[in-house]
Amino acid sequence: MGEDALYTIDNVVPPNPIENLLRMDRIPHIWCPGCGIGTTVNCFVRALQTSGLDLDKVAIVSGIGCTGRVAGYIKLDSFHTTHGRAIPFATGLKLANPELKVVVYSGDGDLTAIGGNHFIHAARRNVDMTVILINNMTYGMTGGQVAPTTPISATASTTPHGNFEQTFNLPFLAESCGAVYVARWTAFHVRHATKSIKEALAKKGFSFVEILAACPTLYSRRNKLGDGLDQMSYFREQSEIKNGADTKSVALDFEGKIIIGKFVDIERPSYQQSMYDHLRKKLGDQYIPSPEMKNVYGKNGN
Amino acid sequence: MHDDSGVLTGAHFIDGDHACSEGAIAAGCRFVAGYPITPSTEIVERIAERFPFVGGVFIQMEDEIASSIAIQGAVWAGKKAMTVTSGPGFSLMMEHIGYAAMTETPCVFVDVQRAGPSTGLPTMPAQGDMMQARWGSHGDYGIIALCPNSPQECFDLTIRAFNLAEQFRVPVMLMMDECVGHMIERVIIPPVHEIQIFQRRSYDGPKKDLLLFHPDSNLVPPMVKAGEGYQIHVTGLTHDERGYPSMTVDTQAKLVTRLVNKLRVNADTIVDYREDSVEGADIVVVTYGITSRTAIPAIEQARKEGMRIGHLRLVTAWPFPEKRIRELASKVKAFVVPELNLGQMVYEVERVAGGKASITHVPHAGGTVHNTKEIYAAIKHSVKG
Ligand SMILES: Cc1ncc(C[n+]2csc(CCOP(=O)(O)OP(=O)(O)O)c2C)c(N)n1
Ligand code: SF4
Ligand SMILES: [Mg+2]
């Protein structure tokens, strides 16, 4: 397309370029003005559109929360599960049909508080899934309570005098548990985030993308940080891209520097590849994998 | 020797736990997620041993919460799936029993009951989870619960559990107990062609016409699995027939009423019980699971002494055989209800009998089975009235 084409004003409103992957019959969505979640959805859909994946074989699984509502707006096979349990649901979905590409899309509270145990074990096993975690540093849906990701000294509805609990450093957590791909971006860094999600989707094994996004309604305002736009300025000004940074060094603190980038990108056999290879070796021809397992993991002539 | 279906046709001496594993394999279950807990662990151990030979996937999850939702992921990927536990783990699974009910995800939960509450007596029997099985998750919904009383029935009823789950798209619970789970008896596994399997009913209409939760005339919608291009949406929120969240009183009433009614209107085809000399009896002893076996010597002794005693054994605890108990209530003098708890299914008998027959409960706090003398004494007491 030439430069000019971009500025041609037509009397037809061009369709939203991500419409084909949204459930337009469910719009308007529930998110507040200035909420960062919608921006991340845009990144995700654009990543999918250029991923080359067969979209009939992509499934999205969410837990509960404002971010948990993402599954309900995406036109893929989509599952809105229970609070914290998107990862184990996704584990069952993937293990039962490894031909599916399984994406977990959920909030910081959902995935690392109530669902923290599942997160670490899925990463340890290297279950083949992409986890997109929207970190708004609070429990948005329930009114802005403290989360494991709330920075020290920030105010939340259940820490009215300020938070004094240690904050989770999620990239470090993911890496030490065994994730093969770990990245962090913010809702301001849409191009990077999109590219990163695309890379994560292409990985075999447990890939993890954390995206910081504002919750103006319940986090920013309560902490006198302004509205959604102010939070975007903060993300722009305070972020520093450090690809390959040691995840130990990327902890977040209240309104401090944000280290973003791709931190981990390694190869390690996925859970099911290990299962397939191990059982084939131990049991030989007696091993009967499911037809889908055989299709996906039996390709190496094993 | 086994064939492709994984069915171990022949006669075996195995315990109830192992019979349950074989029933699952014969029923076509090919995904099991579980977390070890006595006295149920032998079920998953056998599954872990057997599944690689029959095209199944077993995973030991990090806890029972994970297990009980992993199986539902597997079901939406097209498999038949089961999880296995005992009391403490069953408690952890409650939220996902509700999720299965709400999303109409057919799956099987096996609870090999041990004495509780809490950690209780880990290696000893009880029947203390009967009400939890029915009501343990929040909100209104329906489930089916089956009570085997022998290893053979552990095999047979596991198959039936899968069939009922598929037929009605509900969670089905196999309520075993430590005795039945660890008792070794002869189990006959029939040839493949004699095993009746209810195949999942799948939607096969045009994609654009799909209404994921539009029920057939039996109030049950056909299934669609992920990966077929239907772009389904499944949620535990109150949802309309498209599967979309709909936060209205009307949608709630329509959905939840159907979830309950699909079992109520089909109860006659689900309910199962066994009777022995119930016609003309003065007293009917109502039992289930292991208690049905400890009651027999007591019943026989009372009969020898000339008392007219019938025996009704619940095979389905839920739905409860209301019709039959109501009918009997106006014919018999009393019901005697022994169970390994301090009062659970007896409340159902009482409710349904509606005061027409007297009721004697024979409670037991669990840890072992009843002394048959206690049951005999209760029968005798009821005869005297
Ligand atoms: C078992 C259970 N406990 C609590 C809740 C209430 N709840 C709903 S969403 C939520 C927190 C969500 O926080 P997060 O995952 O960060 O999502 P956000 O809304 O911030 O996007 C909580 C506690 C629930 N639905 N289920
Ligand atoms: S409450 Fe916060 S996270 Fe939820 S939609 Fe509003 S701004 Fe977004
Ligand atoms: Mg949050």
Side-chain angles (χ1 to χ4, degrees), chain A residues 286 288, chain B residues 1-10 22 25-26 30 50 53-55 189-195:
Chain A
Q286 282 191 304
I288 302 182
Chain B
M1 281 302 291
H2 60 80
D3 58 32
D4 286 354
S5 63
V7 176
L8 292 182
T9 301
E22 291 305 326
I25 292 170
R30 290 296 180 269
R50 293 264 286 125
F53 302 104
V54 302
I189 300 185
V192 180
H193 65 269
E194 285 176 20
I195 298 175

Side-chain angles (χ1 to χ4, degrees), chain B residues 321-343:
Chain B
E322 297 188 2
K323 259 190 204 161
R324 185 56 179 154
I325 296 288
R326 191 169 294 124
E327 218 170 68
L328 290 174
S330 50
K331 293 185 188 164
V332 305
K333 204 170 149 196
F335 291 105
V336 173
V337 188
E339 46 182 350
L340 292 182
N341 58 54
L342 301 185

Side-chain angles (χ1 to χ4, degrees), chain A residues 64-67 83 107-110 114 136 138-142, chain B residues 95:
Chain A
I64 302 292
C66 295
T67 315
H83 191 27
D108 48 339
D110 184 85
I114 190 166
N136 53 16
T138 193
Y139 287 3
M141 176 140 282
T142 42
Chain B
E95 188 183 11

Side-chain angles (χ1 to χ4, degrees), chain A residues 65-77:
Chain A
C66 295
T67 315
R69 293 301 186 99
V70 169
Y73 297 120
I74 302 283
K75 212 156 113 197
L76 295 171
D77 287 324

Side-chain angles (χ1 to χ4, degrees), chain B residues 201 220 267 278:
Chain B
R201 281 183 323 111
V220 185
V278 165

Side-chain angles (χ1 to χ4, degrees), chain A residues 57 77-78 80 82 118 125 288, chain B residues 52 96 99 227 232-235:
Chain A
K57 299 282 181 205
D77 287 324
S78 53
H80 182 225
T82 50
H118 312 308
R125 294 184 183 110
I288 302 182
Chain B
H96 291 146
Y99 189 76
I232 56 176
H233 184 58
V234 176
T235 177

Side-chain angles (χ1 to χ4, degrees), chain B residues 75 172 246 267 300 360:
Chain B
V75 168
V172 178
S246 166
E300 281 172 354
T360 306

